Amino acid sequence: MHTRTWLCWLVAAAAIATLAPHPLYHILLMLAVTYVFVARRDDRPLARSFSLFARAGAIIWLGYVIFAVVTVGGPRGATVLVTLPAFQLPVWLGGIVFGGPITAEALAWGATRGLGLWTLLLIFGAFNALVDHHRLLRLAPRSLFHAGLAVTIAIAFAPGLVQAIQDITAAQRARGYRFGSLRSWWALAGPLLAGSLERALQLAEALEARGYGRTLTPRPDTGRLLALLAGLSSLAGALIGWLWAGPATLPVVAPLGIAGLLLTGWAAHRLSRHVPRTTYWRERWHRHDTIACAAAGLGLAAVAAMRLLEPTALVYYPFPTIIAPSFDLRVGAAILLLAAPALPLRAPLPRRARRINADRRAARQTAAQQGAFAD
């Protein structure tokens, strides 16, 4: 699939996970993302990084649950499950209270918050495992090529780390080494650290050999650079204002964010005109990409409309008394639209393959006609 299709899918999935902080919707979204990964995965080392993101999300979710029920500092909720001995830290350490009454509401709140982060990690893990990072780098604006290269190297860190761990583990086990206590895992940590440093040096030498950072650049355009900084500052201000004050500031931060986005896009486009770039091979946009992007956009639009019209239907809040979470079939159907990339649609053949097939069909028809004439 096209790289822009995966970007559209990533934005839609992450936005839906943010707009609908509900455990049932998050579980359905995790199932849809996992189904897309299983249907689209290949044999590249990048595909192995999905399990790493899944395990990290499970650890974060467990940590949220533990801290939500242990560091409550007092009764939160009406359904008390068990009462633990309370212990309060000194004031200079924050005065946090460990223990006390553990309620079902606090447990549900911690599980819901941790599940949201787990869902986001699964979404980014699937994107990291399915997208081609080299094609992703080509989509970066030419003026932001250096930042795009740094981001691409950072994204490729997870699959490279997984591959290195598997190689080192297999090599140690082939030598008869067995991992048991914590001290025995130094046989993995030492070679992993040395291999990471060696790969970093090889990457630096490769960039140096290709003349990275030594190209002649024209005189910087101060006005457009200031416009780019102003646009990014407006976006950051709108995001901070919305996170700090909540949805009540939406009429104020929305115009600021839109203006910052437009100014950033215009400045990046104008600055990119001074940076030459050639393309050896361009990706082709197929019918499957159109269907996947349309489904992701439709699902995001439906969830956003539900958030504006019925905001309480997408949010689960277990306080003051825990209740069973409700489920809206309309939201569930919108989330299932994100599984469109996994549909088994047949991709169109390249032009050369279509021409070869047409020639073969014509040859078979000619042979059949000659055989009928001979009879």
Side-chain angles (χ1 to χ4, degrees):
M1 295 184 65
H2 202 280
T3 307
R4 289 187 175 89
T5 303
W6 288 121
L7 284 175
C8 179
W9 180 84
L10 172 67
V11 171
I16 290 175
T18 306
L19 292 175
H22 193 283
L24 296 182
Y25 300 147
H26 281 165
I27 292 175
L28 183 60
L29 186 56
M30 293 170 67
L31 293 176
V33 169
T34 306
Y35 176 64
V36 170
F37 167 73
V38 172
R40 286 291 175 177
R41 64 175 300 178
D42 50 19
D43 296 332
R44 295 181 302 169
L46 292 173
R48 303 175 183 175
S49 63
F50 181 78
S51 60
L52 178 63
F53 282 89
R55 295 190 187 99
I59 294 174
I60 293 176
W61 175 80
L62 183 61
Y64 257 90
V65 173
I66 293 175
F67 280 100
V69 300
V70 174
T71 60
V72 292
R76 295 182 59 195
T79 310
V80 179
L81 299 177
V82 65
T83 302
L84 299 178
F87 173 73
Q88 184 176 5
L89 295 178
V91 179
W92 55 276
L93 289 178
I96 301 176
V97 178
F98 291 91
I102 307 302
T103 62
E105 289 79 10
L107 181 64
W109 177 247
T112 302
R113 296 289 296 274
L115 192 62
L117 288 179
W118 193 359
T119 305
L120 289 175
L121 280 177
L122 274 184
I123 293 171
F124 281 95
F127 175 78
N128 182 74
L130 296 175
V131 76
D132 190 342
H133 298 86
H134 302 286
R135 296 179 182 177
L136 185 64
L137 176 60
R138 297 189 188 103
L139 294 181
R142 287 178 288 180
S143 59
L144 302 178
F145 175 77
H146 303 288
L149 180 62
V151 172
T152 304
I153 295 174
I155 292 176
F157 169 76
L161 181 64
V162 172
Q163 182 66 32
I165 291 175
Q166 292 178 349
D167 293 342
I168 295 172
T169 304
Q172 294 290 3
R173 288 176 177 173
R175 296 182 177 93
Y177 192 85
R178 295 294 179 266
F179 295 96
S181 61
L182 293 177
R183 181 178 298 180
S184 65
W185 285 93
W186 175 250
L188 174 65
L192 182 63
L193 179 60
S196 300
L197 294 176
E198 183 179 359
R199 286 193 300 271
L201 292 176
Q202 290 177 356
L203 178 61
E205 292 175 355
L207 292 175
E208 180 71 19
R210 288 167 173 82
Y212 181 76
R214 294 186 178 183
T215 56
L216 297 178
T217 57
R219 184 174 57 87
D221 194 337
T222 306
R224 292 185 176 88
L225 286 176
L226 292 177
L228 180 63
L229 292 177
L232 293 176
S233 301
S234 299
L235 282 175
L239 180 60
I240 293 174
W242 182 69
L243 293 176
W244 182 264
T249 60
L250 189 61
V252 178
V253 300
L256 182 63
I258 294 174
L261 182 62
L262 293 177
L263 186 59
T264 302
W266 174 82
H269 175 70
R270 299 296 295 180
L271 289 172
S272 298
R273 300 179 63 181
H274 300 288
V275 182
R277 180 191 292 180
T278 57
T279 302
Y280 177 72
W281 179 74
R282 295 183 182 273
E283 292 185 83
R284 294 184 180 274
W285 186 272
H286 301 294
R287 180 183 59 183
H288 199 175
D289 299 304
T290 304
I291 295 175
C293 287
L298 182 60
L300 177 58
V303 173
M306 286 287 296
R307 184 60 185 266
L308 292 176
L309 298 177
E310 303 177 15
T312 57
L314 299 179
V315 179
Y316 177 70
Y317 192 71
F319 297 105
T321 304
I322 188 171
I323 57 175
S326 59
F327 186 83
D328 195 329
L329 292 178
R330 296 171 295 177
V331 182
I335 293 176
L336 289 179
L337 289 175
L338 293 176
L343 295 177
L345 295 180
R346 184 179 179 181
L349 294 174
R351 183 179 303 175
R352 180 177 178 83
R354 292 198 301 266
R355 186 169 60 250
I356 292 174
N357 291 339
D359 294 341
R360 289 177 178 175
R361 286 195 299 268
R364 285 196 297 267
Q365 292 176 1
T366 304
Q369 291 176 0
Q370 291 177 356
F373 179 75
D375 293 339

